[in-house]
Amino acid sequence: MSIVSCQACGKKISDKAIICEHCGYRRGEVTAEKWAVMQQRKLRDEIYRWNMASYAVITLFVAGFGWYWWASDGYAQATSAGPFYVMVAAALGYAVVRVFLYQARRKLKQMRQTAS
Ligand SMILES: [Zn+2]
């Protein structure tokens, strides 16, 4: 944090201040910049969460497959539909997660291009 002069009244204010505490001037340029940084940070968090979610659904798929393998006694017997439901649900979940991940990554890319 550093001290800067307000563009409107010239008094000393924090560079973190969005609004000048002396005259109420809204430091638009800085705010937009900070807003972009905040949005990018938010998107990175979002991407991280979606990545974690994709690992979770992959784990679920592997678990469903393991269940199938175990229940079928090494593919020797027919099983109940349970393992297939788990695998199908995981595959669908993975597809959904990938869509969100793609959207979040594209948004972040667009934001970086706009910023530079
Ligand atoms: Zn001011």
Side-chain angles (χ1 to χ4, degrees), residues 40 109-116:
Q40 282 193 21
K109 205 175 150 192
Q110 277 172 351
M111 212 168 268
R112 281 187 180 144
Q113 279 167 351
T114 323
S116 61

Side-chain angles (χ1 to χ4, degrees), residues 39-101:
Q39 290 303 103
Q40 282 193 21
R41 201 170 295 156
K42 238 167 78 179
L43 271 174
R44 274 199 296 269
D45 287 350
E46 202 183 317
I47 288 166
Y48 175 79
R49 278 198 301 271
W50 285 120
N51 269 323
M52 289 297 115
S54 74
Y55 298 142
V57 288
I58 289 167
T59 305
L60 187 67
F61 186 86
V62 170
F65 191 79
W67 182 12
Y68 170 72
W69 187 83
W70 178 78
S72 68
D73 199 12
Y75 315 117
Q77 297 167 29
T79 67
S80 69
F84 296 104
Y85 286 141
V86 171
M87 282 190 273
V88 168
L92 289 176
Y94 186 74
V96 170
V97 165
R98 292 308 297 190
V99 167
F100 279 107
L101 194 57

Side-chain angles (χ1 to χ4, degrees), residues 6-11 13 20-25:
C6 171
Q7 282 167 268
C9 66
K11 285 180 182 159
I13 51 166
C20 172
E21 58 189 292
H22 307 290
C23 68
Y25 174 74

